[in-house]
């Protein structure tokens, strides 16, 4: 028989009313995300300012061949456009591989061993970033390792709760998201400062060390984690029912609607970073703030906004006005569009050759983060709740796959930064997110009825 989730035997709820396993999973992801965002915050400028310079590029194993393959698809690329493509592919592929990590966990290894294998690969990948020659190999290990780890940790969070604990589950994912973004806040700042003071490779090495810390935390807390839910040798599982397949199809639709907001959200780390480098006054008390350090604003807002947002939802719930899961997702997409619309004025100033204050990056990352907090933890909770148990990890991978497509699309769209006015560029981003918002609104009612027949009620 397959293992059953941890909620089958009442777990210890000593972590702010949540299972203790949530704390271990959240802190694991805090330092895993420290390493990911710390490294990612350096990556784009590292490529543009160091790796893709003539004296260095030839020493990167396989880079010339990789660029030729990429340009067969895209056409000739400037060094900056090539860097944007590589960044988009990397940040996208780490959300592509969770599909395969989910299949591996569901069918063979289980969530725990799959997570540990992924963490080990990521440790090696981060440490290899300290070597210029091993750049592409390091990115490959990080992509595969993240795919094994990320979706399966989210599945484990969902397995801490019972089938009908929709409220606690959603709040648990919000706490999980906040803990993740502590790493998203600290990683870019610490790694950027270290890189500025002692060189790029010291910043990358710091990311590798914190990945080792994440792996150690996960191992230390294993007894508090839910047991694996996977197929075991000789087990014959009942096939998915027609209703299961309808739910799977609906979840695939939900994932597709998440693609464009993911592309617009990720643009803050590409076009947003380029705008800051070109147009934002970065002097702060006589110190020039490193451009890559602005990525920390995403983590800051994703942590700082969680308590007031949870308080708002509770206040709305007491009055019977709290939006359901699907409506929260739609609101998140609207806020993502607002973040892009707010950039029209500083983009116009930049097009005219003028500089702008650091208030504008604050608004960009603030609204981006608020939108993210509305839609992403809610998506995780929805998938963990309604996806059929036999393919729960696989379906969580499908959700992450939507972020892969969005991030790859953001890399392709980033080429427009050089070919169109910056005002037009942000208009395009806003319209993409608004498209998903409208489609999400149109599908709320039919999806709510379908998901209500599953393990809980999705709400509207």
């Amino acid at each position: 028989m397959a293992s059953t989730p941890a909620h089958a035997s009442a777990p210890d709820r000593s972590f702010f009313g949540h299972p203790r396993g949530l704390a271990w999973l959240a802190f694991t992801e805090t330092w895993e995300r420290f390493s990911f965002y710390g490294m990612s915050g350096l990556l784009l400028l590292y490529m543009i300012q160091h790796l893709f310079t003539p004296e260095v590029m030839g020493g990167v194993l396989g880079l010339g061949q990789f660029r030729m393959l990429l340009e067969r698809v895209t056409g000739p690329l400037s060094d900056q456009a090539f860097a944007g493509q590589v960044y988009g592919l990397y940040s996208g592929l780490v959300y592509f591989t969770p599909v395969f990590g989910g299949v591996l966990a569901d069918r063979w290894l289980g969530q725990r061993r799959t997570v540990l294998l992924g963490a080990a690969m990521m440790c090696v990948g981060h440490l290899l970033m300290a070597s210029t020659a091993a750049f592409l190999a390091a990115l490959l290990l990080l992509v595969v390792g993240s795919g094994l780890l990320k979706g399966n940790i989210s599945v484990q969070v969902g397995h801490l709760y019972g089938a009908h604990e929709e409220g606690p589950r959603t709040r648990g994912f919000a706490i999980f998201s906040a803990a993740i973004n502590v790493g998203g806040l600290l990683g870019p700042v610490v790694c950027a400062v270290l890189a500025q003071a002692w060189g790029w490779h010291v910043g990358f090495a710091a990311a590798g060390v914190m990945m080792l810390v994440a792996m150690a935390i996960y191992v230390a807390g294993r007894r508090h984690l839910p047991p694996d839910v996977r197929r075991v040798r000789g087990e014959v599982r009942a096939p998915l029912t027609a209703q299961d397949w309808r739910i799977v199809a609906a979840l695939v639709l939900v994932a597709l609607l998440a693609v464009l907001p993911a592309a617009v959200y990720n643009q803050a780390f590409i076009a947003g970073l380029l705008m800051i480098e070109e147009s934002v006054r970065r002097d702060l008390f006589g110190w020039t703030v490193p451009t890559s350090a602005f990525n920390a604003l995403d983590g800051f807002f994703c942590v700082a906004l969680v308590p007031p947002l949870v308080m708002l939802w509770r206040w709305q719930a007491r009055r019977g006005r709290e939006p359901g899961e699907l409506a929260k997702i739609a609101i998140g997409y609207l806020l993502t569009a607002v973040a892009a619309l707010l950039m029209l004025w500083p983009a116009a100033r930049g097009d005219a050759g003028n500089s702008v204050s650091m208030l504008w990056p604050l608004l960009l990352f603030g609204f981006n983060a608020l939108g993210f907090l509305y839609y992403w933890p809610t998506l995780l909770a929805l998938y963990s709740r309604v996806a059929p148990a036999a393919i729960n990890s696989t379906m969580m991978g499908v959700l992450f796959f939507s972020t892969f497509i969005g991030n790859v699309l953001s890399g392709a769209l980033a080429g427009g930064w050089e070919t169109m006015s910056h005002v037009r560029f942000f208009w395009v981003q806003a319209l993409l997110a608004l498209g998903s918002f409208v489609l999400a609104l149109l599908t709320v009612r039919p999806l709510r009825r379908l998901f209500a027949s599953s393990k809980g009620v999705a709400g509207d």
Side-chain angles (χ1 to χ4, degrees):
M1 297 293 291
S3 302
T4 56
H7 56 254
S9 57
D12 179 352
R13 303 257 172 172
S14 60
F15 182 62
F16 299 108
H18 292 268
R20 287 185 68 184
L22 178 63
W24 291 99
L25 293 170
F27 290 130
T28 297
E29 276 286 74
T30 294
W31 301 115
E32 186 271 330
R33 290 290 92 181
F34 177 107
S35 67
F36 175 82
Y37 286 114
M39 176 270 191
S40 299
L42 299 177
L43 183 59
L44 183 66
L45 295 181
Y46 170 67
M47 290 187 289
I48 293 172
Q49 297 177 5
H50 175 71
L51 197 71
F52 294 170
T53 56
E55 61 272 18
V56 176
M57 185 180 294
V60 182
L61 295 175
L63 186 63
Q65 294 88 336
F66 176 69
R67 183 168 186 166
M68 284 191 296
L69 287 173
L70 189 59
E71 288 181 338
R72 287 182 183 177
V73 177
T74 64
L77 296 168
S78 67
D79 286 346
Q80 181 171 295
F82 179 47
Q85 288 282 354
V86 172
Y87 184 91
L89 284 170
Y90 164 72
S91 59
L93 285 170
V94 295
Y95 294 100
F96 169 76
T97 49
V99 175
F100 305 103
V103 172
L104 186 66
D106 281 334
R107 295 183 64 88
W108 293 291
L109 295 184
Q111 289 78 35
R112 292 188 181 194
R113 283 183 287 182
T114 307
V115 166
L116 282 172
L117 177 60
M121 295 180 73
M122 291 184 73
C123 287
V124 176
H126 276 297
L127 294 174
L128 281 180
M129 284 297 295
S131 166
T132 298
F135 175 73
L136 290 180
L139 291 186
L140 178 62
L141 284 169
L142 289 169
V143 163
V144 176
S146 182
L148 299 180
L149 180 147
K150 192 157 182 58
N152 285 301
I153 278 195
S154 297
V155 166
Q156 288 181 305
V157 172
H159 287 171
L160 293 170
Y161 299 91
H164 300 287
E165 293 185 282
E166 179 183 338
R169 183 194 307 270
T170 302
R171 290 192 292 273
F173 272 105
I175 293 170
F176 181 67
S177 180
I180 287 172
N181 284 288
V182 170
L185 167 62
L186 295 176
V189 173
V190 173
C191 292
V193 170
L194 291 173
Q196 182 171 275
W198 291 289
W200 296 107
H201 297 311
V202 175
F204 289 133
V209 169
M210 298 318 297
M211 188 62 229
L212 287 169
V213 171
M215 187 175 180
I217 290 172
Y218 185 82
V219 171
R222 288 186 74 186
R223 67 188 182 91
H224 299 290
L225 304 184
D228 287 338
V229 179
R230 63 186 176 93
R231 182 179 301 177
V232 297
R233 183 175 299 176
E235 176 191 8
V236 178
R237 282 185 174 177
L240 296 182
T241 65
Q243 177 68 0
D244 287 336
W245 282 113
R246 283 191 286 270
I247 290 171
V248 167
L251 289 175
V252 170
L253 173 62
V254 171
L256 289 174
L257 292 181
V259 168
L260 294 181
V264 177
Y265 174 85
N266 197 54
Q267 206 59 250
F269 304 99
I270 304 178
L273 208 64
L274 295 173
M275 185 187 75
I276 293 168
E277 178 79 2
E278 296 170 8
S279 305
V280 173
R281 296 188 295 272
R282 295 181 284 118
D283 293 333
L284 184 65
F285 305 118
W287 177 57
T288 300
V289 180
T291 300
S292 58
F294 280 86
N295 286 334
L297 291 173
D298 179 72
F300 170 77
F301 283 117
C302 282
V303 173
L305 292 174
V306 166
L309 189 58
V310 170
M311 289 174 62
L312 172 64
W313 290 343
R314 286 177 176 170
W315 180 82
Q316 291 174 325
R318 288 195 296 269
R319 288 157 179 77
R321 302 292 298 274
E322 182 182 9
E325 289 169 330
L326 297 168
K328 285 177 181 175
I329 291 166
I331 291 169
Y333 296 163
L334 176 61
L335 290 167
T336 303
V338 169
L341 288 171
L342 287 171
M343 293 302 101
L344 295 178
W345 192 86
R349 295 280 295 173
D351 285 341
N354 299 309
S355 61
V356 297
S357 86
M358 287 191 284
L359 170 66
W360 295 103
L362 288 171
L363 291 173
L364 171 62
F365 282 100
F367 274 87
N368 235 17
L370 184 59
F372 176 86
L373 288 173
Y374 261 94
Y375 71 76
W376 186 250
T378 311
L379 282 167
L380 293 174
L382 175 66
Y383 270 66
S384 72
R385 183 174 65 83
V386 305
I391 55 170
N392 201 264
S393 292
T394 303
M395 291 308 300
M396 190 67 77
V398 169
L399 175 59
F400 282 104
F401 184 76
S402 71
T403 303
F404 154 69
I405 300 174
N407 285 5
V408 172
L409 179 60
S410 72
L413 292 172
W417 188 255
E418 293 183 290
T419 61
M420 65 178 71
S421 75
H422 297 167
V423 170
R424 184 181 177 189
F425 183 89
F426 280 114
W427 263 119
V428 170
Q429 307 308 308
L431 290 174
L432 292 175
L434 284 171
S436 281
F437 165 67
V438 172
L439 291 173
L441 283 183
L442 293 174
T443 56
V444 162
R445 291 189 181 277
L447 291 178
R448 177 192 60 191
R449 289 193 294 269
L450 177 61
F451 294 150
S453 65
S454 182
K455 303 172 187 176
V457 181
D460 61 7

